[in-house]
Amino acid sequence: MTVPKNQPSPRALAWRRRGAAFTAGWREFAKQRAGLVGLGLLAVIVLLAILAPVITDREGLDVTKATGDRMESPSWEFLLGTDRPGRSVLLLTLWSARISLTVGFVATLLSVAIGTIIGILAAHYGRWVSAGLMRITDFFLVLPSLVLAIALSTVLERGIGTIILAIGLTSWPSAARLVRAQTLTIEARPYIERARALGGGHFHVISKHVLPAVLPLVFVNTTLAVGSAIVAESTLSFLGLGDPDPMRPSWGSMLRSAWLDSAIIAGAWWYLLPPGIAIGIVVLAFTMCGRALESVLNPRLREG
């Protein structure tokens, strides 16, 4: 079947509709002031983390090359003071952002991918497949995810990869239940029955119809889950299960170092507050963006 020259192809029409939907979604998102503030905060933090090798010297992370005094208070040379070995707290905070954000993003993508696959398969195939997958999901929901993450981090070799794996493999059940509920709603719609009647197989229905309709919910859940993953990484690092390499610090390992060095007793507030405030700002920013996206994608929330 040939398409007339004056008419766009079906693929061009599809991309045009997607562009129009994206534009309408962005206009609605721009009306959410909290979402714009959160997006701006995230842009600044991510930009600083990316530019850390450009605006700072990584050699300053080496304790043998520290140039400051022990727990020196903030000054023009060290804007956020120094830690016990004499390293700049500002330098540590910037480089820690790279590790914390990386772990948060990658662990969230892993958990959301697992939850999405399990949720779609459970809702699409039903019967014993749904029963088996949901029993596994309920098992992980009953057990505390932090305890499971601690167990995995203890058994496996310490490092960034272990933390990502521990968080990703223990935080997917909530995403699976959300995706399953959304998939059941989508598969009850008439166009799914029409696709099956026309000979569409399981892969076609899932990839062409179910997954595109589920992706907005997955995207919102991903935005909200990144903050939780960063908090989980900070908790594991604070408990001493993070990366042991001092050249790869995170906000959690900074809090652990401040606690071990008795920063509170010594009155070195500049050693303790920056990583804690950074964690709070990032989690708040992701939450603000996620809530704004919920309002954009859910008309009932937008009307409220």
Side-chain angles (χ1 to χ4, degrees), residues 38-215:
L39 185 62
L41 289 174
L42 287 178
V44 172
I45 295 172
V46 171
L47 184 63
L48 289 175
I50 294 175
L51 295 180
V54 179
I55 60 180
T56 62
D57 185 7
R58 189 171 185 271
E59 295 297 325
L61 299 174
D62 192 347
V63 294
T64 62
K65 298 180 181 180
T67 58
D69 296 331
R70 174 187 176 186
M71 290 190 184
E72 181 181 347
S73 60
S75 60
W76 287 111
E77 183 179 2
F78 302 103
L79 296 179
L80 294 180
T82 62
D83 61 354
R84 185 172 183 178
R87 297 178 297 176
S88 171
V89 174
L90 178 59
L91 177 69
L92 289 170
T93 305
L94 290 177
W95 280 91
S96 296
R98 297 171 64 88
I99 300 299
S100 295
L101 291 175
T102 300
V103 172
F105 279 117
V106 178
T108 300
L109 290 177
L110 176 61
S111 66
V112 170
I114 296 173
T116 301
I117 293 172
I118 290 180
I120 290 178
L121 293 179
H124 180 77
Y125 289 99
R127 297 184 180 180
W128 63 269
V129 176
S130 177
L133 292 177
M134 285 299 99
R135 296 298 77 77
I136 296 174
T137 303
D138 292 339
F139 172 78
F140 277 92
L141 278 175
V142 171
L143 295 179
S145 59
L146 181 60
V147 175
L148 289 176
I150 292 174
L152 286 175
S153 300
T154 304
V155 173
L156 302 177
E157 183 181 359
R158 290 174 57 189
I160 298 175
T162 298
I163 292 182
I164 292 174
L165 190 64
I167 297 174
L169 292 180
T170 57
S171 57
W172 58 266
S174 59
R177 295 182 70 89
L178 286 173
V179 172
R180 177 178 178 271
Q182 183 71 5
T183 303
L184 288 174
T185 302
I186 293 169
E187 294 215 348
R189 295 174 180 173
Y191 68 87
I192 299 294
E193 297 182 3
R194 185 163 54 249
R196 289 173 175 168
L198 293 174
H202 295 296
F203 181 78
H204 174 82
V205 171
I206 291 175
S207 61
K208 299 296 184 180
H209 300 289
V210 176
L211 186 59
V214 170
L215 281 180

Side-chain angles (χ1 to χ4, degrees), residues 10-48:
R11 180 171 298 180
L13 287 173
W15 279 106
R16 186 179 299 175
R17 287 196 297 266
R18 291 169 185 170
F22 177 81
T23 302
W26 171 251
R27 289 175 181 173
E28 191 62 38
F29 184 87
K31 297 178 183 179
Q32 307 289 331
R33 295 184 179 180
L36 290 178
V37 172
L39 185 62
L41 289 174
L42 287 178
V44 172
I45 295 172
V46 171
L47 184 63
L48 289 175

Side-chain angles (χ1 to χ4, degrees), residues 222-297:
T222 301
T223 305
L224 294 172
V226 173
S228 300
I230 292 176
V231 172
E233 184 278 329
S234 301
T235 303
L236 294 176
S237 296
F238 182 78
L239 294 176
L241 300 175
D243 197 322
D245 189 354
M247 298 295 289
R248 291 197 295 266
S250 68
W251 289 329
S253 63
M254 287 183 65
L255 291 174
R256 175 176 174 81
S257 299
W259 175 65
L260 293 176
D261 295 339
S262 303
I264 298 177
I265 298 176
W269 56 266
W270 58 86
Y271 189 5
L272 183 65
L273 287 182
I277 293 176
I279 294 172
I281 291 176
V282 170
V283 173
L284 178 62
F286 274 110
T287 302
M288 294 166 70
C289 288
R291 297 305 180 191
L293 285 174
E294 279 186 332
S295 299
V296 171
L297 298 175

